[in-house]
């Protein structure tokens, strides 16, 4: 999946030489060296939280809400392209820009809320990985958590060899998720009538609520912070013309990676619709129940593919969440701890949930409530900074982009507040 980190020779060459050399290639070979950052952040858009939402939507309403998943993916592409743009143009991450532009009190407030959001995200994702081991290997959930801890620490230790091996490992896991859902679709035999799901429509208030859940969970604050950090010094350029070309290649990276994430989310919903909705099992709204129901309906291969996808999603997303937490700390307050130490600390709440015997799916829902508070604190500064000509120069967002960005920010914030109220009541 991941094919092209720049070689040591490239990284030692000037940015101009790198881009000129790449520009002589054509087609996919020209783009491959620039792929990577968006594949890392794409994991957040197909994490275990998406499994629960998409399965419930497909089981309850069939193919009705496919269009909502597609719209959510387009919104994600727009936001992540702005985050990558901030890193490329300013050579600073979003947390570093907040530290530069805001007063100390605001910086520490931003850091605390971002850490809480990263912890809430990691809680859901680590539980997803533990549940994946539990389902795939048949081990108790506690042992699934221990295996998830060891596997995630092993992936994070790749960082000592540079960030590119981590990108490669995460990209492989993304490929496994996509492959698993190709198998799911093949076994589920979806109805050709699924094309009607691309037509925007609803069927009652429950479908509206589920659509709000899908849209409201589109933006994951930690990967907005992370994407700007992944691109800030990847290929350092100063000339605006070169930055424009680099922005083009990074937008290609975003479109490819998040299109794969979109396919996975659509495939989750379609597979659930074909397997559960069409057989009258509209009550399926739980990851474990969905897994257990797949075997009698489609056979053991389908349930195994589902467990592999969940495990790959949980492992990759929990690693990304840990890296995001590290970059948030470095950016906002200029302090860092070893990644493996952060991993040990942040997985303690997950083990507490497992030891207390709490429902993992219910914990996923609660984590989304916490995340709803953090979304405006990532989106609003991103729009303020990328639209500021003092910071971005001639590459500042044009008026249309700013207007669209503020509209998206307002809609997502309102939807998450609505979800928050619904969850609490």
């Amino acid at each position: 999946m991941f094919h092209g980190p720049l070689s040591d020779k490239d990284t030692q060459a000037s940015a101009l030489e790198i881009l000129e050399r790449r520009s002589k290639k054509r087609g996919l070979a020209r783009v491959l060296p620039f792929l990577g950052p968006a594949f890392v952040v794409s994991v957040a858009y197909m994490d275990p939280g998406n499994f629960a939402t998409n399965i419930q939507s497909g089981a309850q309403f069939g193919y009705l809400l496919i269009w909502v998943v597609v719209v959510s993916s387009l919104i994600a592409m727009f936001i992540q392209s702005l985050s990558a743009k901030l890193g490329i143009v300013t050579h600073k991450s979003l947390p570093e820009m907040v530290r530069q532009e805001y007063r100390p009190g605001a910086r520490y407030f931003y850091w605390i809320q971002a850490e809480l959001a990263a912890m809430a995200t990691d809680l859901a994702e680590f539980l997803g990985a533990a549940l994946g081991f539990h389902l795939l290997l048949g081990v108790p959930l506690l042992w699934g958590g221990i295996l998830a801890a060891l596997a995630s620490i092993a992936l994070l230790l790749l960082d000592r060899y540079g960030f590119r091996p981590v990108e490669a490992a995460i990209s492989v896991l993304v490929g496994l998720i996509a492959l698993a859902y190709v198998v799911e679709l093949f076994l589920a035999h979806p109805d050709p009538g699924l094309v009607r799901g691309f037509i925007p429509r609803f069927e009652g208030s429950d479908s509206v609520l589920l659509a709000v859940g899908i849209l409201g969970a589109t933006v994951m604050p930690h990967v907005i912070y992370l994407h700007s950090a992944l691109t800030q010094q990847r290929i350092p350029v100063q000339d605006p013309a070169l930055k424009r070309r680099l922005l083009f290649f990074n937008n290609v990276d975003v479109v490819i990676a998040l299109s794969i994430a979109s396919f996975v989310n659509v495939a989750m919903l379609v597979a659930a619709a074909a397997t559960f909705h069409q057989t009258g099992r509209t009550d399926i709204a739980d990851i474990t129940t969905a897994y257990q129901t797949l075997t009698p309906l489609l056979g053991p291969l389908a349930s195994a593919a589902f467990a592999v996808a969940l495990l790959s999603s949980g492992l990759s997303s929990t690693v990304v969440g840990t890296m995001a937490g590290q970059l948030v700390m470095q950016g906002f307050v200029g302090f860092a701890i070893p990644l493996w130490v952060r991993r040990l600390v942040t997985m303690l709440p997950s083990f507490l949930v497992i030891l207390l015997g709490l429902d993992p799916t219910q914990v996923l829902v609660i984590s989304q409530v916490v995340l709803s508070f953090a979304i405006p604190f990532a989106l609003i500064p991103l729009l303020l900074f990328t639209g500021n000509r003092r910071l971005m120069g001639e590459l500042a967002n044009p008026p249309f982009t700013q207007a669209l960005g503020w509209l998206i920010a307002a809609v997502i914030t309102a939807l998450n507040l609505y979800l928050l109220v619904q969850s609490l009541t």
Side-chain angles (χ1 to χ4, degrees):
M1 186 105 201
F2 180 83
H3 292 283
L6 295 171
S7 66
D8 289 339
K9 181 179 178 181
D10 279 340
T11 55
Q12 292 168 11
S14 70
L16 178 59
E17 289 172 341
I18 295 171
L19 292 175
E20 287 302 319
R21 192 182 317 138
R22 299 307 185 193
S23 68
K24 294 177 182 177
K25 298 182 178 181
R26 291 292 179 265
L28 192 59
R30 184 182 183 184
V31 177
L32 285 177
F34 299 92
L35 302 185
F39 280 84
V40 173
V41 301
S42 72
V43 166
Y45 296 97
M46 43 186 165
D47 68 3
N50 293 94
F51 275 69
T53 306
N54 291 323
I55 288 169
Q56 184 177 1
S57 299
Q60 190 170 348
F61 291 102
Y63 306 121
L64 180 70
L65 300 178
I66 291 176
W67 68 273
V68 180
V69 176
V70 174
V71 170
S72 299
S73 300
L74 294 174
I75 291 173
M77 290 179 189
F78 177 82
I79 292 171
Q80 293 306 146
S81 69
L82 290 185
S83 179
K85 178 180 181 178
L86 180 69
I88 290 169
V89 176
T90 66
H91 301 301
K92 293 182 182 293
S93 66
L94 180 55
E96 287 173 338
M97 290 300 298
V98 169
R99 184 171 64 174
Q100 173 184 296
E101 298 294 317
Y102 293 176
R103 294 180 178 179
R107 294 200 301 263
Y108 279 94
F109 169 78
Y110 265 85
W111 171 52
I112 291 170
Q113 62 82 29
E115 288 281 12
L116 291 174
M119 289 174 62
T121 304
D122 188 70
L123 177 64
E125 292 163 347
F126 184 85
L127 285 174
L131 195 56
F133 275 119
H134 165 67
L135 298 176
L136 191 62
L137 303 180
V139 298
L141 190 59
L142 177 60
W143 278 103
I146 293 172
L147 290 172
L150 294 174
S152 60
I153 290 174
L155 286 170
L156 287 168
L157 288 177
L158 291 174
D159 183 64
R160 65 177 60 185
Y161 303 107
F163 196 78
R164 304 289 164 74
V166 180
E167 286 183 356
I170 291 174
S171 297
V172 168
L173 290 173
V174 169
L176 281 176
I177 299 169
L179 180 61
Y181 265 95
V182 169
V183 173
E184 287 280 325
L185 289 177
F186 177 78
L187 295 173
H189 300 295
D191 187 334
L194 67 87
V195 295
R196 294 193 297 272
F198 292 92
I199 302 172
R201 60 199 174 94
F202 295 106
E203 290 180 3
S205 59
D206 285 346
S207 67
V208 175
L209 184 60
L210 271 174
V212 169
I214 295 170
L215 278 168
T218 295
V219 181
M220 304 298 280
H222 67 295
V223 290
I224 298 178
Y225 298 128
L226 179 61
H227 204 168
S228 60
L230 295 179
T231 59
Q232 66 181 113
Q233 292 293 342
R234 186 177 175 88
I235 304 178
V237 293
Q238 299 298 333
D239 182 79
L242 291 178
K243 287 182 179 180
R244 286 186 187 277
R245 291 168 60 187
L246 192 54
L247 286 172
F248 168 78
F249 285 116
N250 275 272
N251 285 337
V252 172
D253 183 30
V254 168
V255 170
I256 293 174
L258 293 187
S259 292
I260 293 172
S262 177
F263 162 77
V264 170
N265 280 292
V266 169
M268 284 183 198
L269 192 152
V270 168
T275 306
F276 305 131
H277 185 79
Q278 291 183 3
T279 57
R281 295 300 309 270
T282 58
D283 59 319
I284 301 293
D286 178 274
I287 291 175
T288 305
T289 306
Y291 170 82
Q292 293 168 343
T293 310
L294 278 171
T295 300
L297 290 177
L298 299 180
L301 180 59
S303 54
F306 177 85
V308 167
L310 179 62
L311 175 59
S312 300
S313 168
L315 283 178
S316 54
S317 56
T318 195
V319 168
V320 169
T322 303
M323 293 189 304
Q326 182 80 330
L327 289 164
V328 159
M329 178 184 284
Q330 280 182 288
F332 284 125
V333 295
F335 180 70
I337 59 176
L339 274 174
W340 66 270
V341 174
R342 173 176 284 275
R343 172 72 278 172
L344 289 174
V345 172
T346 55
M347 67 188 179
L348 290 178
S350 302
F351 275 108
L352 184 62
V353 168
I354 293 171
L355 291 172
L356 291 176
L358 301 179
D359 180 8
T361 302
Q362 198 62 32
V363 172
L364 291 178
V365 173
I366 295 171
S367 70
Q368 296 305 307
V369 173
V370 176
L371 283 175
S372 68
F373 285 103
I375 288 171
F377 296 109
L379 266 179
I380 292 174
L382 178 66
L383 288 167
L384 289 173
F385 294 149
T386 54
N388 189 326
R389 293 189 66 86
R390 175 177 62 84
L391 301 174
M392 304 288 288
E394 61 185 66
L395 295 175
N397 295 336
F400 175 78
T401 301
Q402 279 295 91
L404 180 60
W406 284 113
L407 176 62
I408 289 173
V411 169
I412 290 176
T413 301
L415 291 178
N416 276 277
L417 288 174
Y418 176 72
L419 279 178
L420 176 62
V421 172
Q422 291 295 315
S423 299
L424 293 176
T425 57

